[in-house]
């Protein structure tokens, strides 16, 4: 598949890292903890975990430390001290102040008071889900949306009772307060009373005061079955990006691996089957197929699979999308890339040369994030090009399992033929071969890493040639470079090398790169676990991982619950 040994090991590590990421995501979504994280196993730390590396000055305590102290006060039933911070000065601290005083925000307070990250995560979720509520004592536990603070009635010391046990009061009846305001009040039991204004929140909170004894919430449920179709170049990592999140969201997974990598499909399935068996889970939670386009088409057409994640070419991805959309299913597409690196006149030349080498030659140019286009400022054009050609001459081709090899073979003989056809097209459109441009007559599908000097307007530049071919172009201004970067139909990855802050923020801003991945002083390839991976335009618009990627694998329902006997209507409507 073109990978050398270190790249193959890196892909294995990538799926391991993705599993770790999914475990953390599962705890965030489901509130799950493992025994070693329980409060009665490890005592609370003496010093709260801080968000900042350096200690906070007295007038600026950290949000994490504030939430930690407020948390303990809620559990102990002690009155809150007023922290030395000014809530009106910073939106994040204002939100943290108000929400930390809202008992509903502390979902895991009874079992994990030391996990400061949980209230912080809930702070963000509360803001964006607009769940600022007035909490009062309720007599109907079945209608509660979230637990009130756990009141420990024992006079003896020790940890509070576990959720659901005797001695823990959990009933609460949330009611929305007025817009732009959060109020938390617990009646009876000596609970704290607090109030915090959130007048700078970006989204208006629905006003349900006209509907007393009502509550509104968003409920996320699994889709059911998620179909995953992966490509040959990352035969296990891409599965991990999708399946790990899909599984922790409560779905089953149907996977079709690439037809040219069946052994990896079988090996991965065997590993996953062992995990399911060890945990006494049904094997049907994860199902794999080896086969060709007919299986992929069956997945795309099956109405029992509400989401299909496809990784591959734009041409095939478009067909998958049409099939899935025709039955009103959802698609997550990771398609072709035509990625550019821009090198400005103030760039670190040595750093940029090393980055371009890896981005253009790594995996024999068979990554979706491979650098296809190199845009050089005219003042450094020849200097950079001379150094790049020299390092290309040092690239060692050969057995990808041998130490020192940097370039392995292309995946198939068809890939080798496509490379040769592409070189002919390049020559016919005025391209000048500066290095390489030939296939190597030996066992295996080896080709030379190739550098081509060509106009940015040549039609071949706008297409993805899946191999180690790098198009080099010259530009005069940043505006011209950005226009060239954005001129192709694909929009996956891009990068700029510069030391100037004004250029950096222009590049990552609305008038900069239109790609889904916008890098600075690093190559176009490589995926950071936890970052949203995907592209725009003909790359498909899908995102794997990232802060809200889990939402793609679930369905959302907005629920309004009437807890009383009256029927007030929204917007003050009087009907009959």
């Amino acid at each position: 598949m073109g990978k050398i040994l270190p790249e193959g090991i890196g892909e294995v590590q990538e799926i391991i890292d993705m599993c770790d990421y999914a475990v953390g995501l599962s705890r965030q979504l489901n509130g799950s903890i493992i025994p070693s994280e329980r409060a009665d196993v490890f005592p609370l730390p003496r010093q709260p975990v801080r968000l900042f590396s350096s200690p906070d000055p007295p007038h600026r305590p950290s949000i994490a430390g504030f939430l930690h102290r407020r948390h303990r006060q809620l559990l102990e039933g002690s009155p809150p001290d007023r922290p030395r911070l000014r809530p009106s000065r910073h939106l994040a601290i204002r939100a943290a102040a108000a929400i930390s005083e809202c008992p509903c925000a502390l979902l895991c307070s009874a079992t994990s008071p030391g996990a400061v990250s949980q209230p912080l995560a809930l702070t963000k979720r509360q803001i964006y889900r607009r769940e600022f509520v007035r909490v009062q004592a309720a007599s109907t536990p079945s209608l509660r949306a979230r637990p009130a603070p756990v009141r420990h009635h024992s006079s003896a010391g020790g940890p509070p009772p576990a959720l659901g046990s005797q001695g823990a009061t959990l009933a609460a009846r949330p009611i929305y307060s007025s817009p732009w305001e959060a109020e938390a009040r617990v009646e009876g039991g000596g609970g704290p009373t607090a109030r915090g204004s959130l007048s700078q929140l970006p989204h208006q909170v629905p006003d349900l005061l006209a509907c007393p004894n009502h509550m509104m919430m968003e409920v996320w449920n699994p889709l059911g079955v998620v179909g995953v179709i992966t490509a040959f170049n990352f035969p296990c990592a891409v599965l991990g990006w999708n399946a790990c999140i899909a599984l922790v969201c409560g779905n089953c997974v149907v996977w079709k691996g690439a037809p040219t990598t069946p052994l990896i499909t079988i090996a991965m399935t065997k590993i996953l089957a062992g995990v399911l068996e060890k945990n006494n889970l049904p094997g049907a939670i994860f199902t794999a197929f080896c086969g060709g386009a007919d299986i992929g088409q069956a997945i795309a057409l099956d109405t029992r699979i509400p989401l299909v994640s496809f990784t591959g070419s734009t041409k095939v991805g478009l067909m998958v999308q049409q099939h899935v959309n025709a039955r009103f299913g959802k698609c997550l597409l990771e398609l072709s890339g035509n990625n550019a690196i821009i090198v400005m006149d103030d760039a670190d030349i040595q750093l940029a040369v090393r980055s371009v080498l890896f981005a253009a030659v790594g995996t024999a140019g068979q990554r979706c994030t491979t650098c296809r286009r190199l845009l050089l400022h005219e003042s450094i054009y020849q200097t950079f090009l001379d150094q790049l050609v020299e390092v290309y001459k040092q690239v060692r081709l050969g057995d990808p399992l041998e130490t020192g090899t940097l370039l392995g073979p292309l995946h198939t003989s068809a890939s080798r033929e496509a490379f040769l056809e592409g070189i002919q097209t390049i020559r016919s459109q005025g391209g000048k071969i500066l290095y390489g441009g030939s296939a190597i007559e030996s066992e295996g599908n080896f080709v030379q890493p190739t550098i081509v000097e060509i106009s940015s307007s040549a039609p071949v530049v706008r297409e993805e040639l899946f191999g180690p071919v790098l198009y080099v172009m010259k530009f005069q201004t940043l505006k011209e470079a950005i226009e060239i970067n954005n001129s192709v139909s694909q929009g996956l990855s891009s990068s700029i090398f510069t030391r100037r802050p004004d250029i950096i923020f222009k590049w990552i801003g609305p008038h900069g790169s239109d790609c889904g991945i916008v890098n600075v002083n690093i190559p176009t390839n490589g995926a950071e676990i936890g970052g949203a991976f995907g592209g725009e335009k003909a790359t498909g618009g899908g995102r794997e991982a990232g802060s809200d990627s889990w939402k793609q694998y679930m369905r959302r329902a907005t629920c309004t619950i009437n807890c009383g006997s009256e029927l007030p209507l929204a917007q003050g409507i009087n009907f009959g």
Side-chain angles (χ1 to χ4, degrees):
M1 64 190 71
K3 284 187 173 67
I4 59 175
L5 182 59
E7 291 176 317
I9 295 173
E11 182 175 356
V12 174
Q13 184 62 52
E14 186 173 337
I15 194 171
I16 294 172
D17 293 343
M18 194 62 204
C19 290
D20 290 338
Y21 171 81
V23 170
L25 177 63
S26 175
R27 293 175 188 157
Q28 176 187 347
L29 297 178
N30 305 312
S32 303
I33 62 170
I34 60 177
S36 63
E37 296 173 325
R38 291 175 57 88
D40 56 351
V41 176
F42 287 101
L44 291 173
R46 293 186 178 181
Q47 297 297 328
V49 179
R50 296 188 179 275
L51 293 179
F52 311 104
S53 57
S54 59
D56 289 322
H59 63 284
R60 292 188 62 188
S62 70
I63 299 175
F66 169 71
L67 287 173
H68 181 83
R69 292 191 301 273
R70 188 70 195 94
H71 184 127
R72 295 194 65 178
Q73 290 162 358
L74 283 173
L75 292 178
E76 296 169 357
S78 58
D81 59 334
R82 305 310 300 176
R84 288 173 293 181
L85 54 81
R86 300 176 60 184
S88 61
R89 296 186 61 183
H90 196 280
L91 174 60
I93 296 181
R94 297 179 68 184
I99 295 170
S100 69
E101 294 172 348
C102 173
C104 286
L106 300 174
L107 291 182
C108 300
S109 61
T111 54
S112 186
V116 180
S117 62
Q118 293 178 356
L120 286 176
L122 287 168
T123 298
K124 183 176 180 181
R125 290 166 59 190
Q126 292 277 347
I127 291 175
Y128 287 100
R129 294 187 186 185
R130 315 170 194 177
E131 295 174 0
F132 299 97
V133 297
R134 177 185 295 133
V135 183
Q136 296 176 337
S139 59
T140 312
S142 61
L143 292 179
R144 68 180 184 268
R146 293 188 172 183
V150 175
R151 301 192 184 99
H152 186 30
H153 297 289
S154 173
S155 59
L163 288 176
S165 65
Q166 293 182 353
T169 303
L170 300 179
R173 183 176 60 198
I175 304 173
Y176 275 92
S177 67
S178 58
W180 313 104
E181 184 177 64
E183 181 178 7
R185 181 176 292 115
V186 179
E187 305 292 351
T193 299
R195 186 183 186 91
S197 173
L198 296 172
S199 58
Q200 294 184 6
L201 284 176
H203 303 292
Q204 185 170 357
V205 179
D207 187 358
L208 296 185
L209 279 181
C211 302
N213 297 320
H214 280 58
M215 63 161 290
M216 179 182 288
M217 62 182 177
E218 288 182 344
V219 176
W220 293 85
N221 291 305
L223 288 173
V225 179
V226 173
V228 180
I229 304 174
T230 59
F232 74 87
N233 54 346
F234 284 90
C236 67
V238 173
L239 169 68
W241 285 83
N242 286 275
C244 289
I245 300 180
L247 290 171
V248 300
C249 288
N251 300 288
C252 296
V253 173
V254 175
W255 175 39
K256 176 201 169 297
T260 54
T261 57
L263 295 180
I264 295 179
T265 302
I266 295 170
M268 285 298 303
T269 303
K270 186 174 181 180
I271 293 173
L272 287 166
V275 173
L276 295 174
E277 182 179 357
K278 182 179 180 180
N279 291 275
N280 298 318
L281 295 171
I285 288 176
F286 183 89
T287 304
F289 293 94
C290 294
D294 54 335
I295 295 178
Q297 185 177 28
I299 292 175
L301 293 173
D302 198 321
T303 58
R304 297 171 298 177
I305 303 177
L307 171 66
V308 176
S309 173
F310 173 83
T311 302
S313 68
T314 296
K315 179 181 178 181
V316 179
L318 181 59
M319 293 188 292
V320 170
Q321 184 181 49
Q322 290 171 344
H323 288 314
V324 176
N325 287 349
R327 58 177 177 83
F328 297 100
K330 298 196 301 182
C331 270
L332 196 165
L333 301 176
E334 296 289 352
L335 309 178
S336 303
N338 196 347
N339 316 296
I341 290 179
I342 299 173
V343 184
M344 299 299 296
D345 53 348
D346 68 320
D348 182 331
I349 301 299
Q350 296 298 325
L351 175 65
V353 168
R354 296 199 309 270
S355 299
V356 170
L357 176 67
F358 172 63
V361 177
T363 321
Q366 297 173 111
R367 292 174 179 247
C368 55
T369 53
T370 291
C371 178
R372 312 285 177 196
R373 298 175 295 150
L374 175 61
L375 283 56
L376 300 175
H377 191 275
E378 60 179 2
S379 64
I380 61 166
Y381 182 82
Q382 197 58 51
T383 300
F384 191 97
L385 208 52
D386 291 343
Q387 294 187 31
L388 185 63
V389 171
E390 285 302 314
V391 296
Y392 261 60
K393 292 178 180 178
Q394 300 172 27
V395 172
R396 177 181 170 184
L397 288 73
D399 186 343
L401 300 180
E402 291 183 359
T403 303
T405 299
L406 293 182
L407 182 63
L410 295 180
H411 187 54
T412 62
S413 58
S415 302
R416 181 177 181 274
E417 293 302 318
F419 170 87
L420 294 175
E421 292 175 4
I423 295 298
Q424 293 179 359
T425 304
I426 289 168
R427 295 182 188 276
S428 66
Q429 295 182 9
K432 179 182 178 182
I433 307 297
L434 301 180
Y435 183 82
S438 303
I440 297 176
E441 298 298 332
S442 65
E443 184 178 359
N445 303 304
F446 289 93
V447 299
Q448 293 178 320
T450 302
I451 301 175
V452 177
E453 190 176 49
I454 195 169
S455 170
S456 61
S457 61
V460 70
V461 174
R462 302 180 183 276
E463 302 173 1
E464 182 186 44
L465 179 56
F466 218 58
V469 178
L470 179 65
Y471 303 120
V472 182
M473 290 154 271
K474 185 186 301 183
F475 70 90
Q476 296 179 333
T477 65
L478 174 64
K479 180 181 179 181
E480 180 186 0
I482 292 175
E483 289 176 350
I484 296 174
N485 176 81
N486 298 347
S487 64
V488 298
S489 61
Q490 305 88 349
L492 178 53
S493 185
S494 56
S495 182
I496 194 169
F497 282 79
T498 182
R499 294 168 175 160
R500 291 174 52 184
D502 57 326
I503 292 179
I504 292 174
F505 287 99
K506 175 69 175 295
W507 170 245
I508 66 176
H511 303 293
S513 172
D514 63 359
C515 296
I517 300 173
V518 184
N519 292 336
V520 178
N521 295 330
I522 63 171
T524 53
N525 52 355
E528 295 298 330
I529 301 300
F533 182 87
E536 301 297 328
K537 303 187 292 187
T539 302
R543 293 296 188 276
E544 293 164 345
S547 59
D548 62 348
S549 60
W550 59 271
K551 294 181 178 180
Q552 302 171 102
Y553 303 91
M554 304 189 80
R555 58 180 178 86
R556 174 168 53 182
T558 301
C559 306
T560 305
I561 301 175
N562 182 359
C563 306
S565 58
E566 301 296 328
L567 188 62
L569 302 178
Q571 291 82 47
I573 297 174
N574 186 4
F575 190 80

